[in-house]
Amino acid sequence: MIDFLNLKLINQQYREELIAAATRVIDSGWYILGNEVAQFEQEFACYCQTEYCLGVANGLDALILILRAYIEMGVMVEGDEVIVPANTYIASILAISENGLKPVLVEPDPTTYNLNPALIEQHINGRTRAILTVHLYGQVTGMDEINTIAGRYGLKVIEDCAQAHGALYQGRKVGSLGDAAGFSFYPGKNLGALGDAGAVTTSDPQLAKTIKALRNYGSHEKYKNLYQGVNSRLDEMQAAMLRVKLHYLDSETERRRAVARRYRTEIINPTIRLPEWAGDESHVFHLFVVQTDNRNQFQGYLTDHGINTVIHYPVPPHKQTAYECFSGLSLPVSEAMHQHVISLPIDPTMSESAVDAVIAAVNGFNV
Ligand SMILES: *Cc1c(COP(=O)(O)O)cnc(C)c1O
């Protein structure tokens, strides 16, 4: 069987270093907000070309805390609107509604799966405060257009970078392309911890300071509370794991791109639509998503050929039971996408023979 993503093998590559890092934490006697978190924050801010990085408990919290901080800073109030792509993973939308803000779903560009800048302006009104863009599947959004629109209307730009660690846009890293960014280090992400973890990156000192307090009970100084905060800290153990794995992120990304390059040149089945890619560093291939009109048949066929696939995602957010408030919306681009997408295995540890087998199977599929 060809795994969709072999986490065990990925982490085994760094086993000795991970054990050494874990030992360092165990022996330090300090487990929350210590040297490992401080070092990781500095290293990740440097990697993302931002002034600040704040470690938090997970990717959802990173996005929640950015918006919460803007509320505390008086930039937005409950009931204000945030523009978000309609086809994103549910967490981007949860971060908005969790803060009592209103998610405004905008259709993606069907070729890139990312927010379609041409459709944003028609959704802006007097309550709009931010654009939350998602670099879905690992590909950078067209940030020039988004930043131009945001500048015109005085909106904040927030990047959801949970799938795009290290992707580049005009020589700049994701996480530094807007006002603030949320990262997830869930084990299956391109930079994955060995448990839950997340971070915010920003170059805004006031935002950084507010989030630093919010993640730790709203406290800027021990036993003094500025805000009614939460407990959403990155722990020392996960920070130590991430410091090891950050060293290998770029080489793993190159390996993902090599697999993607082979899929894109060698998959020649006309019933399978391949993802758009300029061939450069704007895509880190968290996922290799193809589309086909016969998805269920295709998935069953690949399973029979020993190839695991996953659907990202089967149900669009506006059709979820949790968001009945959106049930009246018609978003045909997103709805069609959710019916046709399927993700092929892509993994930095994938062997050439496994890539060969996927390509041969996909090319052998006929309806
Ligand atoms: C994974 C993911 C998140 C949430 O991250 P967690 O660490 O699981 O909370 C948010 N947005 C997107 C696009 C994701 O893929």
Side-chain angles (χ1 to χ4, degrees):
M1 203 73 193
I2 295 173
D3 289 313
F4 182 72
L5 177 70
N6 191 334
L7 281 181
K8 188 169 153 176
L9 203 56
I10 289 173
N11 288 321
Q12 244 165 24
Q13 303 174 101
Y14 318 122
R15 193 170 183 278
E16 296 310 318
E17 276 186 82
L18 292 170
I19 289 172
T23 306
R24 195 170 69 223
V25 174
I26 293 165
D27 292 348
S28 75
W30 193 281
Y31 308 110
I32 297 288
L33 295 183
N35 186 55
E36 297 293 337
V37 169
Q39 293 290 324
F40 174 71
E41 288 177 339
Q42 202 178 334
E43 289 155 10
F44 198 62
C46 179
Y47 180 82
C48 293
Q49 307 169 333
T50 59
E51 293 292 323
Y52 309 98
C53 167
L54 290 312
V56 297
N58 55 66
L60 173 59
D61 276 3
L63 297 169
I64 288 176
L65 289 173
I66 291 167
L67 291 166
R68 173 75 194 278
Y70 280 136
I71 291 173
E72 295 292 353
M73 289 159 67
V75 173
M76 46 188 89
V77 296
E78 261 190 40
D80 279 344
E81 300 186 359
V82 177
I83 286 170
V84 65
N87 61 321
T88 185
Y89 178 59
I90 199 76
S92 326
I93 296 169
L94 287 171
I96 301 170
S97 53
E98 171 69 23
N99 276 291
L101 299 162
K102 185 179 166 211
V104 175
L105 307 183
V106 174
E107 292 267 53
D109 176 333
T111 62
T112 63
Y113 303 105
N114 282 331
L115 199 51
N116 186 344
L119 302 178
I120 293 177
E121 272 184 289
Q122 67 198 66
H123 293 279
I124 295 177
N125 62 44
R127 295 301 300 266
T128 313
R129 293 290 173 270
I131 301 171
L132 198 174
T133 188
V134 185
H135 307 303
L136 201 68
Y137 307 149
Q139 187 166 36
V140 184
T141 318
M143 292 303 291
D144 271 351
E145 292 101 316
I146 288 176
N147 282 323
T148 302
I149 295 167
R152 193 175 300 149
Y153 296 92
L155 311 178
K156 294 292 181 192
V157 174
I158 301 161
E159 298 171 81
D160 181 340
C161 300
Q163 302 189 358
H165 316 70
L168 277 173
Y169 182 76
Q170 297 170 2
R172 293 205 58 86
K173 289 261 171 63
V174 298
S176 73
L177 305 171
D179 294 289
F183 284 87
S184 165
F185 308 119
Y186 178 80
K189 307 289 179 167
N190 285 25
L191 177 58
L194 277 72
D196 272 316
V200 173
T201 56
T202 183
S203 291
D204 176 343
Q206 203 196 341
L207 184 73
K209 206 173 154 202
T210 310
I211 291 172
K212 198 168 175 174
L214 281 172
R215 73 171 176 190
N216 192 27
Y217 309 118
S219 172
H220 60 303
E221 216 178 294
K222 201 161 189 179
Y223 305 129
K224 291 195 179 163
N225 299 80
L226 271 181
Y227 314 106
Q228 296 175 18
V230 297
N231 176 349
S232 180
R233 299 173 299 221
L234 172 64
D235 63 71
E236 289 284 286
M237 191 60 89
Q238 294 310 331
M241 300 296 104
L242 288 166
R243 289 183 69 198
V244 170
K245 293 190 70 183
L246 181 57
H247 285 124
Y248 301 101
L249 175 59
D250 286 345
S251 59
E252 289 199 348
T253 300
E254 264 322 305
R255 184 61 204 138
R256 286 174 181 274
R257 287 193 188 115
V259 175
R261 212 166 273 128
R262 285 203 58 199
Y263 281 165
R264 276 178 36 95
T265 49
E266 296 174 51
I267 293 176
I268 50 166
N269 186 329
T271 69
I272 305 300
R273 296 191 289 283
L274 298 168
E276 291 278 318
W277 176 33
D280 58 9
E281 293 173 299
S282 64
H283 206 324
V284 295
F285 286 98
H286 173 58
L287 297 170
F288 192 93
V289 177
V290 303
Q291 292 197 52
T292 170
D293 296 333
N294 308 286
R295 181 177 65 194
N296 292 349
Q297 222 181 319
F298 183 56
Q299 188 168 38
Y301 162 90
L302 289 178
T303 306
D304 293 344
H305 285 73
I307 296 162
N308 277 323
T309 55
V310 183
I311 290 164
H312 299 92
Y313 300 91
V315 182
H318 69 287
K319 297 287 181 193
Q320 297 284 358
T321 313
Y323 282 109
E324 266 176 6
C325 53
F326 293 138
S327 62
L329 284 181
S330 166
L331 296 160
V333 176
S334 298
E335 285 159 29
M337 230 174 237
H338 284 81
Q339 279 168 22
H340 299 141
V341 290
I342 175 166
S343 309
L344 301 180
I346 191 159
D347 174 328
T349 65
M350 225 177 147
S351 67
E352 292 301 333
S353 62
V355 180
D356 290 341
V358 173
I359 292 166
V362 173
N363 285 337
F365 174 69
N366 48 47
V367 273

